[in-house]
Amino acid sequence: MKSTPALLFASTILLSSPALAEPPNVVASIKPIHSLVASIMQGIGEPSLVVEGAASPHTYNMKPSNAAALQAARVVFWVGPGLEIFLEKPLEALGSGAKVVQLSEAPGIEKLPFREGGAFEPHEDGDEHGEEEHEHGAEEASHEGHDADTHGAAAEEAEHGHGESEFDMHLWLDPMNAKAMAAQIEKTLTEADPANAAAYKANLEKLNRRLDGLDKSLAGTVAPIKDKPFVVFHDAYQYFEHRYKVRVAGSITVSPEVLPGAERLSEIHAKIEDLGATCVFAEPQFEPKLVNVVIEGTPAKSGTLDPEAATLEGGPDLYFQLMENIGASLKDCLSSAS
Ligand SMILES: [Zn+2]
């Protein structure tokens, strides 16, 4: 069969047009990560998301549709062990057809050590604390499905009160870490899909500019409330604190998988009085009544923070809304508190 010049011209366009190159099948674990991936893929394709809606990554259970999405994936982005515990086993079981990218290992990312029990002091009497035992219980439960031979070391680590990471894995709550993740995402997608390399690169440059702008604006938002201590629901904010020098005085839960007991609540109530913590922040996935319990009889006010974006629609803008909302909530509550 003879090709006409018109057909030759058409096939040349098909080969060279980035918009027509089929993007790889990409899965992202949680909303903040999905948002960064969606920014890099903007105009090319859309990643799918595992933890949808208002679910918390700390208590999530995989659905059959999630397992199917993972099976079909060319590339999977997640933060890493210790954050998306529900993904640890399914990712181990994935064949070599999918590239799994652990973003906590992205070059240039800053990692801070895991803090036991929020920003409160270390336990003076580790033996009798009920919540310590509960925490161990939760870790054991999360390892139930794992093979004993491969997870001996992890079980040992759980003895020390935390799972498989010595680092706080809420890495995305610093826009500079988001930039490190974005660079790794762009590099991975370019390798998997070289036909769209130019578009990924342009999207990365645009995202980096937006992240720099966000960083400047957040620094300005929280500047007036830097000295005011506050209490959070779970210890997710270390990276935000480190970047913007705000003062988290403690967290209500020791471990977000486990609700705090009466002893822990009265301990925090006492801390709020001692420190003069001016605001206590609930989170949308967790029981807001606990916040009222710990502020009762104190002048502290309550607000809401959403570090895992439970209330936000997924997409390229989500990351920016998530971060701006944290800055705005801190400023609103703390600037009106005495
Ligand atoms: Zn968290």
Side-chain angles (χ1 to χ4, degrees):
M1 221 171 77
K2 252 173 75 180
S3 297
T4 66
L7 275 173
L8 274 175
F9 181 60
S11 63
T12 308
I13 289 178
L14 279 172
L15 288 172
S16 63
S17 165
L20 293 168
E22 187 72 24
N25 210 332
V26 177
V27 174
S29 58
I30 60 170
K31 281 179 175 174
I33 300 306
H34 176 267
S35 178
L36 297 174
V37 176
S39 277
I40 301 294
M41 293 184 75
Q42 206 162 19
I44 303 155
E46 278 183 23
S48 71
L49 170 64
V50 179
V51 184
E52 288 181 301
S56 162
H58 298 295
T59 52
Y60 192 73
N61 290 311
M62 289 272 288
K63 295 181 206 155
S65 59
N66 299 145
L70 287 177
Q71 285 303 325
R74 272 277 305 286
V75 183
V76 180
F77 292 105
W78 70 317
V79 181
L83 198 276
E84 307 100 324
I85 292 166
F86 59 89
L87 271 181
E88 290 173 15
K89 205 184 169 205
L91 290 181
E92 271 174 35
L94 273 192
S96 54
K99 183 167 175 57
V100 176
V101 181
Q102 183 182 326
L103 290 171
S104 65
E105 299 298 312
I109 210 148
E110 181 188 33
K111 284 193 271 193
L112 300 169
F114 177 75
R115 301 190 286 210
E116 193 164 340
F120 288 151
E121 71 294 317
H123 292 298
E124 348 47 282
D125 51 355
D127 288 344
E128 53 154 328
H129 271 207
E131 68 271 15
E132 280 258 320
E133 275 164 41
H134 289 168
E135 194 182 8
H136 289 175
E139 294 294 349
E140 275 155 30
S142 74
H143 288 295
E144 233 167 65
H146 291 200
D147 296 335
D149 54 345
T150 55
H151 281 80
E156 217 162 89
E157 252 181 83
E159 288 295 301
H160 302 290
H162 194 245
E164 297 179 33
S165 176
E166 60 189 296
F167 298 105
D168 182 333
M169 295 294 269
H170 298 89
L171 295 156
W172 63 90
L173 291 175
D174 175 343
M176 298 305 109
N177 273 350
K179 283 174 91 170
M181 290 181 180
Q184 185 66 32
I185 292 164
E186 185 259 359
K187 182 170 177 275
T188 307
L189 292 176
T190 297
E191 281 164 13
D193 178 25
N196 283 312
Y200 293 129
K201 185 166 184 280
N203 283 344
L204 176 65
E205 285 164 2
K206 184 178 152 210
L207 178 57
N208 281 338
R209 284 194 297 275
R210 271 190 95 182
L211 289 168
D212 283 333
L214 172 72
D215 182 52
K216 276 209 184 76
S217 108
L218 280 174
T221 302
V222 302
I225 49 94
K226 273 181 180 173
D227 299 327
K228 299 194 174 182
F230 58 97
V231 170
V232 296
F233 190 84
H234 89 286
D235 190 19
Y237 306 92
Q238 202 179 171
Y239 293 93
F240 194 96
E241 293 163 59
H242 195 72
R243 181 82 194 155
Y244 301 111
K245 310 289 181 258
V246 293
R247 279 186 63 196
V248 175
S251 63
I252 292 178
T253 58
V254 171
S255 159
E257 291 89 349
V258 186
L259 286 177
E263 191 195 349
R264 175 79 183 174
L265 292 177
S266 60
E267 189 182 307
I268 289 155
H269 186 269
K271 289 283 172 193
I272 291 166
E273 287 185 322
D274 287 357
L275 290 163
T278 49
C279 284
V280 178
F281 291 94
E283 287 175 23
Q285 302 103 317
F286 298 99
E287 185 52 75
K289 272 187 225 150
L290 293 173
V291 169
N292 297 327
V293 170
V294 298
I295 64 175
E296 205 182 339
T298 76
K301 301 177 67 180
S302 68
T304 302
L305 296 173
D306 186 12
E308 279 136 13
T311 58
L312 299 177
E313 277 300 310
D317 292 335
L318 174 140
Y319 180 80
F320 295 88
Q321 290 163 358
L322 156 69
M323 297 297 283
E324 281 161 4
N325 287 353
I326 290 176
S329 295
L330 291 178
K331 188 186 176 189
D332 285 354
C333 189
L334 291 168
S335 58
S336 62
S338 50

